[in-house]
Amino acid sequence: MQLNSIEVQPTKPAAAPAGFTLIELMIVVTVICVLALIGYPMFVDQVRKSRRADAIAALNRVAQAQERWRANNPTYSNSLAPGALNVPNPSSGYYTLAVATDAATAARRYVATATAAGSQAADSRCASLVMTMDAGNLSYGSTGSATAAQCWNR
C-alpha cells in the first residue's frame, strides 16, 4: 500500500494596507500646527533681539565718532552727515539713527537714538534705543515695554 503525499502550501498573510489613514494624517497635521503656533512667535522674538545688536553696534560707532569729533572741536556734533560724524544709518534698514545736542550743553552732552524702522517697528518691547553722553558718563535707555537692561542686553 502506497501513501500519496499531499503537499500543503502555506498561505500568504493578507497584505497590510499601504499608506496612512485619514485620521493618522490629521493627527500629524494637528501636531505640526501646535508646534508652529508655539515656535513661530518665539522665532520672531529672537529675530528682533538679534536685530537690536545691529542698532547697538551703530550707536557705539556714533559714540566713537563723537569722541573723535570732540577731540578736534569744542562741542559734540549734532549731525551724522559726512562733514561731521560720517556715521551711516545701518544698511539693514531695521533702525534709523539720529543724534541731538543742545546749544547750551553741546560741549558736554549729546543724545544718540536708534529708532526701529521697517518690519522691526513692530518691536513694542524696544521701540528705540537711546544712548546719552553727559559730562563723560554714558547712560543707556529705551522706549517700549522692556527695561533698558533687557533692550541693551546688559
Side-chain angles (χ1 to χ4, degrees):
M1 179 182 252
Q2 196 175 22
L3 294 173
N4 291 337
S5 65
I6 300 175
E7 289 184 33
V8 178
Q9 296 290 330
T11 59
K12 292 182 181 175
F20 298 103
T21 65
L22 183 59
I23 292 174
E24 291 171 331
L25 185 61
M26 292 307 294
I27 290 171
V28 169
V29 169
T30 303
V31 168
I32 290 172
C33 287
V34 168
L35 290 175
L37 287 172
I38 294 169
Y40 185 71
M42 293 171 74
F43 170 75
V44 169
D45 188 47
Q46 288 300 315
V47 168
R48 286 182 181 143
K49 284 172 66 175
S50 68
R51 289 177 182 160
R52 286 181 208 141
D54 186 31
I56 291 169
L59 287 172
N60 286 328
R61 285 192 303 272
V62 169
Q64 291 171 352
Q66 282 284 30
E67 292 307 318
R68 283 191 302 272
W69 176 268
R70 181 72 171 87
N72 298 317
N73 297 286
T75 62
Y76 286 111
S77 175
N78 63 354
S79 172
L80 296 173
L85 298 181
N86 196 23
V87 177
N89 279 305
S91 60
S92 63
Y94 295 117
Y95 282 90
T96 303
L97 295 179
V99 66
T101 59
D102 183 315
T105 61
R108 63 177 178 84
R109 185 173 197 278
Y110 70 87
V111 177
T113 306
T115 305
S119 62
Q120 189 71 10
D123 185 8
S124 61
R125 296 196 67 208
C126 302
S128 66
L129 300 169
V130 181
M131 181 172 59
T132 304
M133 168 64 81
D134 193 4
N137 297 314
L138 272 176
S139 62
Y140 304 94
S142 66
T143 60
S145 62
T147 65
Q150 291 170 329
C151 292
W152 285 85
N153 296 325
R154 295 184 179 266

